[in-house]
Amino acid sequence: MTIRVLVADDQDLVRTGLAMILDAQPGIEVVGQAADGLEAVQFARRLRPDVCLFDVRMPGLDGIGATRELAGPGVDDPLAIVVITTFDLDEYVYGALKAGARGFLLKDAGPDLLVQAIHAAANGDALIAPKITARLLAAFSEPPTGRVPVQPVDPLTTREEQVLTAAATGRTNAEIATELHISLSTVKTHLTSVMGKVGARNRVEIAMWAYETGRIKL
């Protein structure tokens, strides 16, 4: 199955370069390119790509705003979005993930990590640039004063806790299945159940919740 990708970046050379890298990969096809956030949203709604790759800083509507339009709260059929930027700033990362992004990369990450992030997003997994993951999750582990983390509507089962912990520490569905000796479909079922119980829309939000509730310590 070919992964259809939409690339959005306001810099022509960067956008073209990203598209060339992805088009050169087996099983990936760039189906559209956009030069700003508004155009990206229009293209995404028309083309319904498997994954969108959005730059943070774009005119008209930035990558975080475009992500929110396509994958944010209230979106019935959210798209898989990976946000990429030159700027290693906490507010960009946090904003992108809260808006519904399934991944966050820096532009110096290299082709291999870029391709991994596209595959992860297409498979319902998530990939965040390694150099910012620890700092980001450290921030999630300390909720703002006075805010009580959301509690599950029903208690998580022992197996759901195991799957949650594995997902929150970066394991893919396939890795979780191998480690816990369960099928891939069972992993997906448990993740879906956890998302329903804690009000999360994707595995990135599951990871946030796991750190916010102290289930995982750095």
Side-chain angles (χ1 to χ4, degrees):
M1 175 181 171
T2 299
I3 301 173
R4 301 168 63 253
V5 180
L6 169 67
V7 178
D9 194 299
D10 62 318
Q11 297 182 39
D12 291 344
L13 285 176
V14 173
R15 185 176 66 252
T16 302
L18 292 170
M20 289 178 62
I21 290 171
L22 294 175
D23 263 333
Q25 305 300 317
I28 295 179
E29 176 189 4
V30 175
V31 295
Q33 298 183 41
D36 62 61
L38 293 173
E39 190 175 52
V41 171
Q42 293 172 355
F43 283 6
R45 286 176 173 161
R46 185 173 78 244
L47 298 171
R48 299 299 298 180
D50 299 306
V51 180
C52 298
L53 180 65
F54 289 170
D55 182 30
V56 165
R57 288 188 168 183
M58 293 188 289
L61 182 67
D62 64 21
I64 295 175
T67 298
R68 192 175 297 111
E69 288 284 327
L70 298 168
V75 177
D76 292 331
D77 190 14
L79 290 172
I81 299 173
V82 175
V83 174
I84 186 168
T85 183
T86 306
F87 307 97
D88 181 13
L89 299 178
D90 289 345
E91 58 264 34
Y92 285 163
V93 184
Y94 191 82
L97 298 182
K98 279 295 188 183
R102 289 192 191 170
F104 190 98
L105 293 175
L106 300 179
K107 288 182 180 177
D108 64 1
D112 289 345
L113 201 59
L114 172 63
V115 172
Q116 287 178 41
I118 295 298
H119 278 284
N123 292 330
D125 292 333
L127 190 151
I128 303 172
K131 72 166 65 172
I132 59 176
T133 300
R135 191 182 72 244
L136 180 66
L137 294 179
F140 291 155
S141 69
E142 299 176 0
T145 303
R147 194 187 82 192
V148 178
V150 174
Q151 296 304 308
V153 293
D154 291 309
L156 302 188
T157 65
T158 299
R159 183 62 88 188
E160 286 171 348
E161 290 280 6
Q162 292 172 337
V163 171
L164 167 67
T165 299
T169 50
R171 305 291 197 280
T172 65
N173 287 355
E175 289 170 340
I176 295 171
T178 299
E179 289 180 12
L180 299 181
H181 306 289
I182 56 179
S183 69
L184 195 58
S185 62
T186 299
V187 173
K188 293 178 180 179
T189 297
H190 285 313
L191 286 173
T192 299
S193 178
V194 172
M195 285 190 281
K197 288 182 178 181
V198 307
R201 293 168 299 154
N202 54 52
R203 64 192 298 124
V204 173
E205 292 188 359
I206 287 177
M208 291 181 186
W209 184 81
Y211 280 87
E212 287 177 346
T213 55
R215 281 169 163 77
I216 299 175
K217 303 293 185 182
L218 293 173

